[in-house]
Amino acid sequence: MPTVALVRDGVTRLSASTEQHATPRIIVDAFGGDHGPAPVVEGCVAAAREGHTVILVGHEDVVRAELAKYPDATSLPIEVIDATDVIGMDDHAAQAVRAKRGASMNVAMRALKDGRGDAVFSAGNSGAVMASALFTLGRLEGVRRPALAAVIPLLTGRVVIVDAGANADCDADNLIQFAYMGSMYVERMLGVARPRVGLISNGEEPSKGNALVLATHPRLAESTLNFVGNIEGRELAAGHCDVAVCDGFTGNVVLKLAEGVSTLCFNLVRTAIRSRFHYKLAGAVLRPGLVKAGKVLDYAEYGGAPLVGVQGNVFIGHGSSKARAISSGVRTAAVAVKANLIPSMQSAVIASGVER
Amino acid sequence: MPTVALVRDGVTRLSASTEQHATPRIIVDAFGGDHGPAPVVEGCVAAAREGHTVILVGHEDVVRAELAKYPDATSLPIEVIDATDVIGMDDHAAQAVRAKRGASMNVAMRALKDGRGDAVFSAGNSGAVMASALFTLGRLEGVRRPALAAVIPLLTGRVVIVDAGANADCDADNLIQFAYMGSMYVERMLGVARPRVGLISNGEEPSKGNALVLATHPRLAESTLNFVGNIEGRELAAGHCDVAVCDGFTGNVVLKLAEGVSTLCFNLVRTAIRSRFHYKLAGAVLRPGLVKAGKVLDYAEYGGAPLVGVQGNVFIGHGSSKARAISSGVRTAAVAVKANLIPSMQSAVIASGVER
């Protein structure tokens, strides 16, 4: 990438580093997330200290004021693109994206489309990020519906859920494409050869499922994917597949429930430890081990969820992302850029054989 | 109930207790479950020792041989009804129920219909138990679809999921009835006044959901129930509602995932404890507290899931039920009989206002 890309109009450079062009430039929506720009900027500063090039998009004065908290920020590969408006977490996704052309996430998408950066990360209103990406970047050739591919961490390994929430109602064609895109994502991003693809269902037998699953199962069974059949909630949590395919309603419920139940379990353990004095002492000894165990399931360690099927690398972060989740998101986006993910995704869509 | 009910033809009495007629008589499918009759009989013996009247249905010789392991069984309120056939966990539900008229669960349902007992509990093939109940007992007046109401234990309290798996595809009328029946179940069985009813969705706003949820939400909002709106997986796990309404596909995935993730979490804690010598020592001190914490989420403590909407008290146990889960199931069924649940359920169905 030519260095000139970094000094285009509207991009204010804070850094004089000449090595930036060699590394992926991650465009980050500074006003995305429940906690405003402070944790976003903090996470980006952390990522930049690791050498990532970050382009922050949002009210320039506010972003600069946040950056000023870090004395080394001026020497880091961080740039700022001004954006005058913000899409809130409660805004109606599609309407807000159309009405607020100058919103930070819209400006971020346009910066990606214009080649000012290589990927977008936003922890903002996820419906709006999706709408903004679709509106500005468009879909890959042949994609019926882009999907959110979210990682659920497990005891050993992890499972990627597609769709984790982009499309509440789906048909079998959608699920077939999700399966191909999810499999490719896991192969390219997590380095798993022939990822095991499961179809989330209410029973493992091919005869079990709702109408959508019953229509999808035989097509996955005949596909070129490494299809391991229907997968139930228990087996999903036990890591019996690398990619779990479902409609976005089911996927979103699954993702949030997994988070809710793991919080519940660690709260139970915490309550148990506090219940007696000698448990408290033992708990203090165990604390580092338990914190480490809790981290295995902590979304903040796992970066953003890619919106697969759009013309560009777009990663969506958890709305409640703190700095650590933001820097994970920047890191994941950078890996996707280095892995040249988009052409692979295009191949996956073609391989799915779903007619446009 | 007249004592004569206990000495009808075909019921072999093992007990001479004259107090049986005062307590609910729970008919138990002795051949239901993954582990055969041994844990079922063990659980029933435990329940009978607490004073519950149990009628075991299955191959009489096998059941008697199991009972003979317990020297006190002859003095307990346990009876046996012979049934020559068994429906396996892998049998096709509806086909097997029709083909094997003499299967233990079919005989159990007929015994309930004939008034030989007051409730049925089976940990067998859940699809087959539902088919058998529908076939033999029929639905309550006005019920479109019976549903499975399963309890998920939480840190404080619990949530009842309806439908937890009886109907993979549902319409809004079904969900409205599930909501009314679930609310009544929680009110009568768990003693919660005006239970909070939530609609499982991929977002809390009324505008979020798949087509089914979008069609159901306004009707629940206008209902006489204490509807608290859409509920996401995190809030579900945090106990924000007492009844969570969904189609049986979603409910089944939720139920099994909750179990899978809690197993995963406790495995993580176990792995952490084993990772270092001083953690092992602390873990040994904490062990009773952690075991107690784990029990909070243990399905075996919570008995069976009622099949609501059929003409009779039918409880379905987890296929992998061991003795403790079986005796919990007997206990729950007895509570339902004492609470006179069926007339309440009929009222709930009428209150739902769904036209037949």
Side-chain angles (χ1 to χ4, degrees), chain A residues 12-15 20 44-45 48 54 56 67 73 76-80:
Chain A
T12 314
R13 300 182 69 203
L14 282 180
S15 161
Q20 287 173 29
C44 288
V45 166
V54 179
L56 280 158
L67 280 169
L76 292 171
I78 298 176
E79 308 169 17
V80 180

Side-chain angles (χ1 to χ4, degrees), chain A residues 154-155 168-169 200-202 209-211 213 232-234 236-237 249-250 252-254 256-262 264-269 272-273 278-279 282 285-286 288-290 293 296-297 318, chain B residues 154-155 168-169 200-202 209-211 213 232-234 236-237 249-250 252-254 256-262 264-269 272-273 278-279 282 285-286 288-290 293 296-297 318:
Chain A
L154 302 173
L155 183 57
D169 291 288
I200 294 182
S201 188
N202 58 332
N210 56 13
V213 166
E232 296 185 79
R234 276 187 292 266
L236 185 72
F249 179 85
T250 303
N252 199 265
V253 169
V254 161
K256 290 170 180 167
L257 184 72
E259 203 180 307
V261 173
S262 64
L264 166 65
C265 290
F266 283 98
N267 283 344
L268 275 169
V269 169
I273 288 173
H278 64 288
Y279 288 173
V285 174
L286 259 176
L290 293 176
V296 171
L297 301 184
H318 202 296
Chain B
L154 301 173
L155 183 58
D169 291 288
I200 294 182
S201 189
N202 58 331
N210 56 14
V213 166
E232 296 186 81
R234 276 186 292 265
L236 185 72
F249 178 86
T250 303
N252 199 265
V253 169
V254 161
K256 290 171 180 166
L257 184 72
E259 205 180 305
V261 173
S262 64
L264 166 65
C265 290
F266 283 98
N267 283 343
L268 275 169
V269 169
I273 288 173
H278 64 290
Y279 288 173
V285 173
L286 258 176
L290 292 176
V296 171
L297 301 184
H318 203 297

Side-chain angles (χ1 to χ4, degrees), chain A residues 44-314:
Chain A
C44 288
V45 166
R49 283 177 185 150
E50 295 169 9
H52 293 287
T53 299
V54 179
I55 303 172
L56 280 158
V57 181
H59 281 290
E60 192 166 346
D61 295 347
V62 178
V63 173
R64 288 196 181 286
E66 286 297 332
L67 280 169
K69 292 180 185 170
Y70 308 92
D72 59 337
T74 49
S75 64
L76 292 171
I78 298 176
E79 308 169 17
V80 180
I81 297 181
D82 188 37
T84 50
D85 218 340
V86 173
I87 292 175
M89 297 306 269
D90 297 325
D91 279 345
H92 185 284
Q95 284 170 11
V97 165
R98 274 190 295 265
K100 300 180 179 179
R101 293 298 309 280
S104 55
M105 70 175 70
N106 278 334
V107 173
M109 295 298 169
R110 284 202 296 275
L112 176 59
K113 191 178 171 72
D114 294 346
R116 293 188 184 180
D118 306 301
V120 164
F121 174 81
S122 175
N125 180 327
S126 57
V129 179
M130 289 186 278
S132 178
L134 260 174
F135 188 68
T136 308
L137 306 172
R139 302 172 221 184
L140 290 174
E141 180 70 25
V143 166
R144 297 279 187 102
R145 299 274 197 92
L148 203 56
V151 174
I152 294 186
L154 302 173
L155 183 57
T156 52
R158 53 188 91 178
V159 58
V160 172
I161 311 280
V162 216
D163 175 15
N167 312 280
D169 291 288
C170 295
D171 63 20
D173 280 339
N174 300 146
L175 264 58
I176 299 294
Q177 289 197 331
F178 298 167
Y180 273 88
M181 293 192 289
S183 179
M184 180 60 81
Y185 185 80
V186 170
E187 197 177 316
R188 296 302 303 260
M189 291 289 287
L190 309 179
V192 177
R194 301 271 302 145
R196 295 161 303 162
V197 176
L199 180 62
I200 294 182
S201 188
N202 58 332
E204 59 180 341
E205 305 87 348
S207 62
K208 290 283 180 71
N210 56 13
L212 173 63
V213 166
L214 292 174
T216 306
H217 187 107
R219 292 178 59 186
L220 284 176
E222 284 170 8
S223 76
T224 57
L225 297 170
N226 181 13
F227 180 55
V228 297
N230 285 351
I231 190 138
E232 296 185 79
R234 276 187 292 266
E235 287 68 32
L236 185 72
H240 289 207
C241 67
D242 304 300
V243 182
V245 177
C246 58
D247 64 83
F249 179 85
T250 303
N252 199 265
V253 169
V254 161
L255 187 69
K256 290 170 180 167
L257 184 72
E259 203 180 307
V261 173
S262 64
T263 302
L264 166 65
C265 290
F266 283 98
N267 283 344
L268 275 169
V269 169
R270 195 171 297 124
T271 304
I273 288 173
R274 286 178 186 160
S275 67
R276 296 189 179 206
F277 181 69
H278 64 288
Y279 288 173
K280 278 185 198 164
L281 294 179
V285 174
L286 259 176
R287 204 181 132 75
L290 293 176
V291 167
K292 203 173 151 197
K295 269 194 180 173
V296 171
L297 301 184
D298 185 357
Y299 73 90
E301 300 284 324
Y302 294 87
L307 184 61
V308 296
V310 293
Q311 286 273 16
N313 288 303
V314 176

Side-chain angles (χ1 to χ4, degrees), chain B residues 219-239:
Chain B
R219 292 177 60 185
L220 284 176
E222 285 170 10
S223 76
T224 56
L225 298 170
N226 181 13
F227 180 54
V228 297
N230 285 351
I231 190 139
E232 296 186 81
R234 276 186 292 265
E235 286 69 32
L236 185 72

